[in-house]
């Protein structure tokens, strides 16, 4: 009897242990899929990371189009002063890897989960973020992998021809817009949305604004599609981003603004000479919001009232210490928590250009132009906008490098700020794009797009041109046109890259090949 009791007790204890085995052996700090499903965590938790990775950092932004457009200049002679800034490529794939690894990949998972969990609006949101990302990546390389993304089982993953890509993006914007408009009261995004706190109408305004941006890219290569898509955005009853309160701000997720880290921690970037030429010459009050004054006044003997000194893109540089004393970015960038992804000022300048082109619903070019300047000054907290807009005499100044006269330049632009109804459309467009350029600080890829499609603003050539047959030759009177296809794709997806190269107008995968919308036509009208 005693033995039987012991056996029964053992069975009870064994059952008790195995009954709670899963609970006892579960790591209390591990997040499970079941936990993630609560409050939509499984589909929503990736969005802040995807949004953060929409923007570039050092090698894909600061040492590429920040420099190429003259916003920033490096004091550091990276790789013997022969690098991206002097038109010899050293860094090619950083943004490609960022977009595919940190946006396209997690968005693919979100879209699949949204379908499985019957949460279609999360899938639409992820598709919109994808368009934000791929519209940037294509502005660097041209053809990219989009419609065939995720079909790795096919071996060779085909690239989208740019004309097909833009049509696809416009079609997807239509679908996303329809779904969001049918659910404007939906609150499921709130917990995961650091930009708009889940407000569907705000995302619809961004969608319309992005449509207008993409439409404007096509004005010379496909004017009919550009006009149709642009007018669709302009006429949509939800509207566009038209106030600074509606600006699309991208989260930094606790990170320091990249340009601040590069400027202050690494001392590898400084104000660009082109910005010095334009902003000092035009007496632009935003300059103090963008950059810090120099303490060595001998650097600014040519304009002592404006103590800012920049570095020319592709400069002749011997030693880093020579120019570390030039203007850093404003110290405030160390503490910002978000960066600008799309602003009301950009919308205003897009509408100003649309008005010049006669698009329905664009309004008046002068009004939009001045609104763009006013919105930018207000956004940055700069004073003096009325005097600035009335200035019909101030022009960009000559740039003088106190360390090496080989970097000096005379500005190609003689633009002023005040609007003149008697100017030609071409000169009016130059004013619009120049002010758009000055307003687009820290979101500089769009300025590089505008420059390639319009030729504005008129910026100097690089001082030191190291382009070669390795990556493509840029003529002395020209500027870099694109980044080549990334090395891993050239070797691992060679057949698709070879086909994508035929999509380029030159048939060459080099830095001198124009993108689809970058036509060689000299006139913009």
């Amino acid at each position: 009897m005693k033995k039987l009791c012991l056996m029964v007790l053992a069975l009870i204890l064994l059952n008790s242990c195995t009954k709670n085995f899963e609970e006892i052996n579960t790591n209390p700090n591990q997040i499970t899929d079941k936990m993630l499903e609560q409050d939509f965590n499984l589909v929503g938790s990736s969005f802040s990371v995807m949004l953060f990775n929409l923007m570039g950092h050092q090698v894909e932004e600061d040492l590429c189009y920040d420099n190429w457009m003259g916003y920033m200049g490096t004091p550091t002679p990276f790789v013997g002063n022969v690098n991206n800034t002097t038109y010899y490529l050293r860094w090619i794939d950083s943004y490609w890897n960022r977009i595919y690894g940190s946006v396209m990949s997690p968005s693919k998972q979100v879209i699949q989960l949204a379908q499985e969990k019957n949460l279609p609006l999360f899938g639409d949101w992820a598709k919109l973020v994808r368009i934000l990302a791929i519209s940037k990546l294509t502005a660097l390389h041209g053809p990219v992998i989009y419609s065939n993304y995720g079909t790795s089982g096919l071996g060779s993953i085909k690239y989208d021809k740019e004309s097909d890509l833009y049509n696809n993006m416009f079609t997807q914007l239509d679908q996303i817009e329809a779904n969001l408009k049918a659910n404007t009261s939906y609150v499921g995004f709130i917990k995961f949305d650091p930009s708009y706190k889940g407000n569907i109408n705000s995302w619809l305004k961004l969608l319309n604004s992005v449509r207008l941006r993409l439409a404007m890219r096509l004005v010379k290569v496909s004017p009919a599609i550009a006009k149709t898509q642009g007018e669709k955005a302009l006429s949509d009853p939800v509207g566009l981003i038209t106030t600074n309160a509606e600006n699309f701000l991208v989260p930094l997720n606790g990170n320091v603004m990249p340009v601040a880290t590069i400027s202050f921690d690494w001392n590898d970037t400084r104000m660009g000479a082109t910005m010095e030429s334009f902003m000092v010459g035009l007496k632009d009050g935003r300059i103090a919001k963008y950059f810090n004054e120099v303490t060595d006044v001998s650097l600014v003997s040519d304009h002592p009232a404006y103590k800012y000194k920049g570095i020319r893109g592709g400069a002749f540089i011997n030693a880093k210490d020579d120019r570390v004393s030039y203007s850093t970015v404003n110290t405030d960038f160390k503490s910002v928590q978000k960066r600008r992804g799309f602003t009301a000022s950009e919308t205003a300048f897009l509408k100003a250009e649309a008005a010049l082109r006669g698009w329905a619903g664009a309004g008046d070019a002068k009004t939009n132009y001045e609104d763009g300047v006013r919105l930018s000054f207000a956004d940055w907290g700069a004073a003096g906008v009325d005097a600035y807009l009335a200035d019909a005499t101030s022009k960009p100044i000559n740039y003088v490098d106190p360390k090496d006269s080989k970097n000096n330049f005379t500005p190609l632009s003689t633009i002023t700020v005040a609007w003149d109804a008697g100017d030609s459309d071409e000169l009016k467009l130059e004013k619009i794009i120049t002010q758009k350029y000055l307003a687009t600080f820290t979101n500089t890829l769009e300025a590089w797009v505008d420059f390639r499609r319009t030729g504005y603003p008129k910026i100097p050539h690089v001082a030191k041109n190291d382009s070669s047959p390795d990556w493509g030759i840029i003529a002395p009177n020209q500027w870099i046109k694109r980044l080549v296809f990334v090395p891993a794709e050239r070797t691992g997806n060679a057949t698709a890259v070879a086909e994508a190269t035929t999509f380029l107008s030159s048939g060459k995968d080099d830095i001198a090949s124009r993108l689809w919308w970058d036509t060689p036509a000299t006139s913009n009208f």
Side-chain angles (χ1 to χ4, degrees):
M1 183 68 180
K2 182 177 181 182
K3 185 175 181 180
L4 178 60
C5 290
L6 289 172
M7 289 176 64
V8 171
L9 180 61
L11 287 171
I12 293 171
L13 290 172
L14 179 62
N15 181 63
S16 178
C17 291
T18 55
K19 182 179 179 180
N20 297 313
F21 180 83
E22 183 178 353
E23 180 181 342
I24 292 169
N25 289 277
T26 297
N27 183 346
N29 298 314
Q30 182 177 347
I31 299 175
T32 66
D33 284 352
K34 187 174 182 179
M35 293 165 63
L36 286 172
E37 287 182 20
Q38 298 173 6
D39 298 324
F40 310 140
N41 284 328
L42 191 62
V43 290
S45 58
S46 299
F47 278 92
S48 63
V49 173
M50 290 192 291
L51 292 172
F52 170 72
N53 283 288
L54 289 175
M55 314 296 282
H57 293 181
Q58 185 189 27
V59 295
E60 67 267 43
E61 184 172 68
D62 187 70
L63 291 171
C64 287
Y65 40 88
D66 266 5
N67 263 259
W68 298 334
M69 289 305 299
Y71 286 101
M72 306 300 295
T74 181
T76 309
F78 292 106
V79 201
N81 200 34
V82 178
N83 54 59
N84 287 37
T85 70
T86 67
Y87 292 172
Y88 188 89
L89 298 187
R90 304 289 186 181
W91 312 290
I92 302 168
D93 55 7
S94 293
Y95 195 59
W96 178 280
N97 293 339
R98 181 183 302 281
I99 292 303
Y100 284 106
S102 299
V103 181
M104 293 296 286
S105 177
S107 67
K108 178 176 181 286
Q109 185 178 26
V110 169
I111 292 166
Q112 290 173 340
L113 286 169
Q115 186 174 12
E116 292 172 8
K117 305 298 180 182
N118 195 26
L119 296 169
L121 290 183
F122 276 91
D124 290 316
W125 190 19
K127 290 174 184 176
L128 178 54
V129 174
R130 271 190 167 188
I131 291 172
L132 293 173
I134 217 70
S135 67
K136 291 178 177 291
L137 189 66
T138 185
L140 271 71
H141 298 282
V144 292
I145 297 169
Y146 186 62
S147 59
N148 292 306
Y149 177 75
T151 57
S152 56
L154 299 178
S156 180
I157 309 175
K158 289 179 174 292
Y159 284 60
D160 290 70
K161 185 185 295 186
E162 288 175 89
S163 55
D164 295 339
L165 174 65
Y166 279 86
N167 285 334
N168 191 354
M169 288 193 290
F170 287 133
T171 297
Q172 288 198 346
L173 287 175
D174 289 341
Q175 295 166 350
I176 296 165
E177 181 180 20
N179 293 338
L180 292 182
K181 280 185 173 179
N183 294 276
T184 54
S185 60
Y186 185 69
V187 295
F189 297 169
I190 292 176
K191 181 178 176 181
F192 313 103
D193 180 4
S195 296
Y196 286 129
K197 306 302 181 187
N199 187 296
I200 300 296
N201 277 327
S202 294
W203 282 100
L204 283 166
K205 289 183 178 183
L206 174 62
L207 184 151
N208 288 332
S209 302
V210 169
R211 187 193 295 275
L212 183 58
R213 174 196 276 176
L214 298 182
M216 198 60 74
R217 288 186 187 178
L218 311 187
V219 288
K220 290 168 75 172
V221 69
S222 189
I225 291 176
K227 187 173 188 289
T228 296
Q229 292 296 329
E231 290 182 345
K232 181 183 289 189
L234 290 164
S235 64
D236 191 274
V238 174
L240 303 156
I241 295 172
T242 56
T243 69
N244 287 326
E246 297 167 337
N247 287 350
F248 174 53
L249 302 178
V250 176
L252 292 176
N253 295 345
N255 296 288
V256 176
M257 182 81 168
V259 74
T261 298
I262 304 164
S263 188
F264 296 108
D265 294 355
W266 304 342
N267 279 326
D268 281 334
T269 198
R270 290 294 183 265
M271 177 188 194
T274 306
M275 290 295 271
E276 178 189 338
S277 175
F278 275 109
M279 299 192 86
V280 172
L282 298 178
K283 301 179 176 62
D284 195 316
R286 291 168 291 188
I287 193 169
K289 302 299 180 179
Y290 294 177
F291 305 105
N292 282 335
E293 292 183 337
V294 298
T295 56
D296 181 358
V297 294
S298 69
L299 297 174
V300 291
S301 58
D302 55 328
H303 49 77
Y306 288 85
K307 299 179 177 63
Y308 301 91
K309 178 54 59 179
I311 300 173
R312 184 172 178 177
F316 289 91
I317 301 171
N318 293 317
K320 179 174 180 174
D321 287 346
D322 288 347
R323 294 175 181 80
V324 169
S325 57
Y326 288 22
S327 291
T328 63
V329 293
N330 189 294
T331 309
D332 289 346
F333 284 111
K334 289 183 176 182
S335 57
V336 297
Q337 293 301 304
K338 294 181 179 180
R339 59 183 302 187
R340 293 163 176 81
F342 204 117
T343 64
S345 64
E346 181 180 349
T347 302
F349 292 124
L350 285 166
K351 289 173 66 178
E353 182 175 352
L356 278 187
R357 299 186 180 282
W359 290 4
D364 176 67
K366 175 180 184 289
T367 300
N368 288 321
Y369 168 77
E370 293 184 347
D371 282 350
V373 175
R374 291 183 186 281
L375 284 162
S376 177
F377 268 67
D379 187 27
W380 289 97
V385 69
D386 290 334
Y388 184 76
L389 283 169
D391 190 344
T393 58
S394 298
K395 298 178 180 180
I397 61 168
N398 294 341
Y399 169 73
V400 177
D401 185 353
K403 303 297 181 180
D404 192 335
S405 62
K406 293 196 296 295
N407 296 321
N408 295 355
F409 66 79
T410 300
L412 298 177
S413 177
T414 57
I415 202 75
T416 59
V417 177
W419 188 265
D420 185 341
D423 287 340
S424 66
D425 282 351
E426 199 69 48
L427 183 54
K428 289 175 180 175
L429 181 62
E430 183 184 355
K431 287 191 174 184
I432 291 167
I433 300 299
T434 299
Q435 285 302 321
K436 188 179 178 186
Y437 163 78
L438 294 173
T440 314
F441 187 59
T442 68
N443 189 16
T444 56
L445 177 58
E446 291 309 314
W448 189 35
V449 170
D450 285 337
F451 174 69
R452 286 175 288 169
R453 71 176 179 87
T454 69
Y456 304 131
K458 293 181 179 179
I459 60 174
H461 301 90
V462 292
K464 184 173 181 281
N465 184 338
D466 290 314
S467 63
S468 79
D470 292 356
W471 300 113
I473 296 176
I474 303 297
N477 66 339
Q478 285 296 319
W479 295 261
I480 189 169
K481 303 298 183 185
R482 63 183 285 269
L483 282 181
V484 300
F485 298 125
V486 302
E489 284 288 300
R490 284 181 160 196
T491 57
N493 196 20
T495 301
V497 168
E499 181 185 46
T501 300
T502 68
F503 299 157
L504 298 167
S505 59
S506 68
K508 296 179 181 179
D509 178 19
D510 65 17
I511 64 174
S513 295
R514 295 175 181 269
L515 300 190
W516 174 57
W517 41 260
D518 177 12
T519 70
T522 55
S523 173
N524 283 290
F525 296 93

